[in-house]
């Protein structure tokens, strides 16, 4: 790490040993918004982004002067993959009267096409703001998050038909049954989940918001409907509480939950070691200069909006 002047920025969904390594080496573990902000502010010349490709691209957009490496070039995101720029451009062109808001889980090219980039932690607040300006929204790529935001704000939102392979699998019927077994448990749900699951939640929020909720809520047990990688940090915060995986399996299934992103799992200690030692550009993220400048505009809007929100909450 010292030889490369590198720091590890890891997402909450990576494996526990990677989150621990980031913590022990002066790195950072967080959600995608805070990852982006930390990468922009830290002084390291090399950022190793333990997550998926779009997170590495976001880091490069914000830090063109730094070396951005990812442990696995195959680490993708289902939301990103299911929103190809050619089809998305056509979708936007068919609705020129709408303000284009894209989730952070998208490629640099899709971000460059957008008016705003957003994360789940500020999605509701941003859409309330845009709705107050009389804007109609074109939302991509997660339809579940888009439906949730529309429900919370009443905004006119047209959704791109994408979903997360992890969150879309949570089952409301099985979650109801689980609640019967643990009647005193709080249910925490990420808004990429289906609305039927969200309706059962005590708290709906981003990964960082769910971790904070686990700390604040008095419940002795917490049922968590998001990637189980979050359990490492959450258990650190509430070691006295029992954390339970929300069910993704239907009735009669042989497994109860498979809430783990297969691409996040490609990050491991071996791949981190190899990517740090590699002297060629195999693991580096590169983005066209023109594309980067276009994508930087909506990303900076997101960061500025987020900072204003924090200031308002502290007043």
């Amino acid at each position: 790490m010292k030889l490369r002047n590198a720091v590890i920025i890891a997402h909450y969904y990576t494996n526990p040993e990677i989150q621990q390594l980031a913590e022990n080496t002066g790195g950072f573990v967080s959600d995608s918004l805070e990852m982006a902000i930390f990468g922009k502010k830290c002084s390291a010349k090399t950022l190793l982004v333990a997550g998926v490709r779009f997170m590495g691209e976001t880091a490069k957009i914000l830090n063109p002067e730094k070396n951005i490496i990812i442990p696995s070039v195959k680490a993708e995101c289902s939301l990103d993959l299911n929103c190809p720029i050619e089809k998305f451009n056509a979708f936007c062109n068919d609705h020129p009267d709408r303000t284009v808001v894209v989730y952070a889980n998208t490629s640099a090219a899709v971000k460059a096409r957008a008016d705003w980039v957003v994360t789940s932690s500020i999605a509701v607040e941003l859409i309330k703001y845009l709705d107050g300006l009389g804007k109609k929204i074109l939302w991509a790529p997660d339809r579940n998050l888009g439906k949730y935001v529309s429900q919370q704000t009443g905004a006119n939102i047209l959704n791109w038909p994408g979903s997360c392979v992890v969150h879309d699998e949570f089952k409301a019927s099985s979650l109801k049954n689980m609640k019967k077994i643990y009647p005193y448990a709080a249910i925490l749900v990420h808004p990429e989940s289906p609305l039927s699951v969200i309706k059962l939640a005590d708290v709906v929020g981003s990964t960082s918001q769910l971790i904070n909720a686990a700390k604040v809520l008095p419940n002795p047990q917490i049922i968590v409907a998001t990637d189980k990688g979050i359990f490492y940090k959450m258990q650190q915060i509430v070691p006295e509480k029992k954390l339970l995986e929300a069910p993704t399996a239907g009735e009669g299934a042989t497994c109860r939950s498979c809430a783990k992103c297969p691409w996040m799992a490609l990050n491991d200690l071996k791949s981190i070691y190899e990517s740090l030692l590699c002297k060629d550009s195999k693991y580096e993220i590169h983005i066209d200069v023109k594309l980067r400048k276009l994508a930087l505009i909506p990303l900076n809007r997101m960061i500025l909006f987020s900072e204003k929100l924090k200031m308002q909450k502290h007043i």
Side-chain angles (χ1 to χ4, degrees):
M1 298 291 287
K2 291 182 179 179
L3 288 174
R4 292 289 300 268
N5 190 8
V7 67
I8 298 175
I9 306 174
H11 193 273
Y12 287 129
Y13 292 165
T14 53
N15 295 327
E17 60 267 23
I18 292 178
Q19 296 184 50
Q20 187 176 41
L21 178 63
E23 292 171 339
N24 292 343
T25 57
F28 192 59
V29 180
S30 65
D31 61 16
S32 56
L33 175 57
E34 293 301 325
M35 286 173 73
I37 293 172
F38 178 84
K40 188 177 181 181
K41 292 181 178 179
C42 80
S43 60
K45 296 297 183 184
T46 298
L47 304 179
L48 187 148
V49 179
V52 293
R53 176 176 290 277
F54 81 80
M55 296 175 184
E57 287 187 343
T58 300
K60 188 64 178 180
I61 293 166
L62 294 170
N63 304 276
E65 76 287 356
K66 294 183 180 181
N67 298 316
I68 310 298
I69 57 178
I70 56 175
S72 175
V73 293
K74 295 180 180 180
E76 300 287 357
C77 170
S78 55
L79 289 169
D80 185 357
L81 292 174
N82 290 321
C83 190
I85 185 57
E86 296 81 8
K87 291 183 178 180
F88 185 65
N89 266 333
F91 188 62
C92 293
N93 291 339
D94 287 341
H95 305 281
D97 59 325
R98 290 182 177 267
T99 297
V100 179
V101 180
V102 302
Y103 198 25
N105 301 42
T106 47
S107 67
V110 168
K111 288 181 175 70
R113 184 64 174 81
D115 299 300
W116 288 83
V117 175
V118 70
T119 66
S120 55
S121 61
I122 61 171
V124 171
E125 289 84 357
L126 175 62
I127 298 305
K128 279 183 180 178
Y129 167 73
L130 293 176
D131 183 54
L133 297 177
K135 304 291 186 181
K136 294 192 296 183
I137 308 301
L138 186 154
W139 177 277
D142 191 283
R143 64 173 185 263
N144 289 332
L145 180 55
K147 289 176 183 177
Y148 170 72
V149 171
S150 177
Q151 186 183 70
Q152 293 297 303
T153 63
N156 184 330
I157 296 179
L158 177 65
N159 283 310
W160 176 267
S163 63
C164 168
V165 294
V166 174
H167 294 97
D168 205 40
E169 289 302 309
F170 289 114
K171 303 290 190 295
S173 58
S174 300
L175 184 54
K176 288 178 182 178
N177 292 335
M178 192 172 187
K179 179 67 174 180
K180 292 176 183 177
I181 299 172
Y182 300 98
Y184 301 109
I187 299 176
L188 309 186
V189 176
H190 193 283
E192 288 178 30
S193 306
L195 280 180
S196 59
V197 174
I198 289 174
K199 288 178 181 178
L200 301 175
D202 295 290
V203 176
V204 181
S206 67
T207 46
S208 58
Q209 290 167 340
L210 295 185
I211 289 171
N212 184 63
K215 179 181 179 180
V216 173
L217 292 171
N219 308 68
Q221 298 127 358
I222 308 289
I223 301 172
V224 185
T226 191
D227 188 296
K228 60 187 178 183
I230 198 176
F231 279 36
Y232 171 76
K233 182 59 69 175
M234 190 176 282
Q235 197 74 78
Q236 282 184 335
I237 302 297
V238 288
E240 76 285 2
K241 295 185 181 183
K242 184 173 184 178
L243 305 182
L244 304 157
E245 297 175 33
T248 59
E251 299 298 326
T254 55
C255 67
R256 183 169 60 83
S257 180
C258 56
K260 183 60 185 173
C261 173
W263 291 289
M264 283 286 186
L266 294 176
N267 293 272
D268 57 29
L269 296 179
K270 181 182 178 182
S271 63
I272 287 177
Y273 179 73
E274 290 176 347
S275 62
L276 284 170
L277 285 183
C278 187
K279 294 182 179 180
D280 59 34
S281 60
K282 177 182 177 182
Y283 298 96
E284 281 194 41
I285 295 289
H286 298 281
I287 298 177
D288 175 77
V289 174
K290 183 179 179 180
L291 182 66
R292 188 197 74 80
K293 289 181 178 178
L294 289 172
L296 183 61
I297 297 169
L299 271 170
N300 276 338
R301 283 178 182 154
M302 173 187 74
I303 292 172
L304 181 60
F305 185 84
S306 174
E307 290 174 348
K308 285 182 178 180
L309 272 180
K310 286 182 179 179
M311 290 176 63
Q312 290 170 4
K313 290 178 181 178
H314 284 96
I315 293 175

